[in-house]
Amino acid sequence: MSRDATPGPYADPLKFGQRVQILRERRGMTQSQIADLLGMSPHTYRKIENGQQKPPGLETVLRIAQVLRVRDLADLTGLPEAHVDLFVGPGHPRLAGVRAAIDNFALTTGVEPPPLAHIDARLRAAWKSRHASKNHREAIGALLPDLIRDAQVLVRSADSAADRRAAQVLLAETYSLSQFFIAYQPDSSLLWRVAERGMTAAQESEDPHAIGVASWLLAQAHRDSGPRHYDAADAVNLEAVRFLKPLLPDGSDDVLAIAGALEFELGYTAARRRETGAAWRHWDKANGMAGRLPADYYHPVTSFSRAVMGAHAVTVAVELHQGGESVRQAARADECVIKSRPRRARHRIEEARGYQLDNQPDVAVASLEKAFEAAPETVRYNGYAKAILLEEIESTQAPRRRRASELAVKVGLLAR
């Protein structure tokens, strides 16, 4: 190897082991505790710390980082550019197939373009499957490659401007469905490609609802990228709200719903900034818009509805770090039934965050158990859920520790 070559981040077992030891001691954990969480023998773990064993593979290094709650891999490797995030879940087995379909730009194809109505029906079925399935990524991941290919073919083969716009609506919605699959998986560049292509397709369609949905998802991509991107998230949201506002008096329920969802997103980002007044003001406005929808209405993409506003209130309170308020809102939200399994699971996770803030860890773990029952994949890919479980598997209270550990095994945080 050239003397100028960059050494591997774990090339020195002793230095790597020393970093692990320092981080473990900062956490106040024993070698046996860490070994148990990693699913290895204390003897094997001691050899890692002592530099007596070949450096572990990347998967084990990431597990160590997760157990020690390391957010920056530089603390383990000494490389400042290395980063690990609890909010990135494992790569789904179907991720490669979805990625290949998204990245494929065949200029010629032998695929016969399906009728518009056919793809529209498949999309309706895919959304329904997502909301009804416990393992929603598996459900839509199986459908997406063919849907993406056929929607792209439909756009390319459109015979008229009207047909092309109609096809772009379906392509934009296909990208929206893809973003739900890709979110919190280890391919952020793919998420951005999908979000931006969805917006481009929606703008080409000139359909207000499609533009609203694409804006909603693009704003989320910005916001979830961190505080430096909050302004960009607000800019996308505000532009979409202004665009839709003239259409609301005579618009369809879907247009009103996406406008309401966008209004709430402004409140969500404000809550992330800890802007209490703005956060609740946007929630109030979104709640008023939800009240104009039929009682049983449920937006197929955003889940915006009367029923979901209670869950949204919990999220605002949690993001504002208002533990008591989040618990009160959670009690009120339980009066409504959220139809979508993944959205119901997400609400239970937010509820768990509220109970954790309110120093009720046993109830927080119980809420995560309910989330797992509703949709295991939602918990498996959610950083907040994993952070709470990692906290409680170290509890000094044996019943709580055992309960959290059992759920952590099911989620995949702990080895059996």
Side-chain angles (χ1 to χ4, degrees):
M1 183 174 72
S2 167
R3 288 187 301 173
D4 296 328
T6 302
Y10 325 118
D12 188 334
L14 182 58
K15 288 183 179 179
F16 176 74
Q18 288 172 333
R19 290 188 181 101
V20 173
Q21 179 182 353
I22 291 168
L23 290 165
R24 172 181 61 78
E25 290 175 349
R26 285 179 185 172
R27 296 284 303 128
M29 300 175 73
T30 67
Q31 290 181 332
S32 295
Q33 285 175 318
I34 295 291
D36 182 54
L37 294 175
L38 294 172
M40 63 176 62
S41 71
H43 175 71
T44 299
Y45 178 77
R46 278 195 297 272
K47 289 173 71 175
I48 291 176
E49 280 200 4
N50 296 336
Q52 297 172 343
Q53 179 164 300
K54 180 181 177 182
L58 180 60
E59 182 177 353
T60 301
V61 171
L62 291 174
R63 288 290 300 278
I64 292 172
Q66 193 172 62
V67 167
L68 294 174
R69 292 188 221 155
V70 174
R71 295 300 294 267
D72 193 336
L73 271 183
D75 291 338
L76 282 177
T77 67
L79 297 178
E81 67 274 16
H83 181 71
V84 63
D85 196 331
L86 277 173
F87 288 78
V88 174
H92 193 278
R94 294 191 182 275
L95 179 59
V98 173
R99 182 193 295 115
I102 290 167
D103 288 345
N104 178 45
F105 273 99
L107 298 179
T108 60
T109 178
V111 177
E112 183 73 19
L116 278 164
H118 186 252
I119 291 186
D120 184 64
R122 287 161 60 189
L123 275 168
R124 301 286 79 70
W127 284 113
K128 185 176 180 180
S129 180
R130 178 186 180 271
H131 290 305
S133 175
K134 286 188 172 184
N135 294 306
H136 44 94
R137 279 185 172 83
E138 174 63 26
I140 64 175
L143 302 173
L144 276 170
D146 287 345
L147 264 173
I148 293 166
R149 179 202 61 198
D150 289 348
Q152 290 174 341
V153 169
L154 192 64
V155 170
R156 290 199 302 268
S157 63
D159 291 328
S160 67
D163 286 347
R164 183 177 176 81
R165 286 194 297 271
Q168 292 281 17
V169 170
L170 298 179
L171 180 60
E173 188 171 346
T174 302
Y175 283 136
S176 297
L177 185 65
S178 301
Q179 190 167 334
F180 276 92
F181 173 83
I182 297 164
Y184 306 116
Q185 295 199 56
D187 196 337
S188 58
S189 64
L190 182 64
L191 178 73
W192 278 105
R193 289 201 295 282
V194 166
E196 290 170 351
R197 288 180 192 174
M199 175 60 84
T200 299
Q203 289 175 327
E204 290 288 330
S205 77
E206 301 179 8
D207 180 88
H209 178 253
I211 292 171
V213 170
S215 300
W216 183 79
L217 286 164
L218 184 58
Q220 288 194 354
H222 279 294
R223 187 191 64 230
D224 291 344
S225 296
R228 289 183 301 171
H229 299 268
Y230 289 172
D231 286 347
D234 279 344
V236 173
N237 257 321
L238 287 167
E239 184 66 25
V241 166
R242 283 193 290 265
F243 171 71
L244 293 173
K245 186 176 181 180
L247 308 176
L248 298 184
D250 301 313
S252 66
D253 289 341
D254 284 349
V255 169
L256 176 59
I258 192 57
L262 286 159
E263 189 68 45
F264 169 71
E265 288 300 312
L266 288 167
Y268 193 161
T269 306
R272 284 272 179 96
R273 288 192 174 104
R274 308 290 170 79
E275 296 173 351
T276 303
W280 287 114
R281 185 168 62 252
H282 286 297
W283 181 90
D284 281 337
K285 192 168 182 179
N287 191 47
M289 297 167 81
R292 292 166 54 188
L293 294 167
D296 60 348
Y297 174 87
Y298 210 82
H299 191 264
V301 179
T302 68
S303 297
F304 190 81
S305 58
R306 293 187 189 182
V308 87
M309 290 310 300
H312 283 336
V314 174
T315 295
V316 169
V318 167
E319 293 293 347
L320 291 170
H321 283 210
Q322 298 173 341
E325 180 63 20
S326 61
V327 168
R328 286 190 290 275
Q329 293 292 348
R332 293 174 59 187
D334 268 351
E335 299 173 2
C336 299
V337 177
I338 298 175
K339 297 178 183 179
S340 168
R341 278 186 175 272
R343 187 62 188 83
R344 189 157 68 243
R346 167 72 186 281
H347 166 56
R348 292 301 184 188
I349 293 169
E350 296 292 278
E351 185 180 75
R353 293 175 67 197
Y355 284 117
Q356 195 79 349
L357 282 171
D358 201 46
N359 296 314
Q360 298 187 54
D362 288 306
V363 189
V365 174
S367 293
L368 291 181
E369 290 172 335
K370 293 177 182 177
F372 189 83
E373 172 60 27
E377 281 192 345
T378 298
V379 180
R380 195 164 288 129
Y381 286 82
N382 187 280
Y384 295 120
K386 291 188 288 185
I388 291 171
L389 286 176
L390 286 171
E391 182 81 30
E392 299 311 326
I393 59 181
E394 299 171 21
S395 171
T396 57
Q397 303 297 315
R400 185 192 310 153
R401 183 172 66 248
R402 182 169 56 251
R403 193 172 179 181
S405 297
E406 288 173 356
L407 182 55
V409 168
K410 293 178 184 178
V411 170
L413 280 176
L414 295 182
R416 291 184 182 277

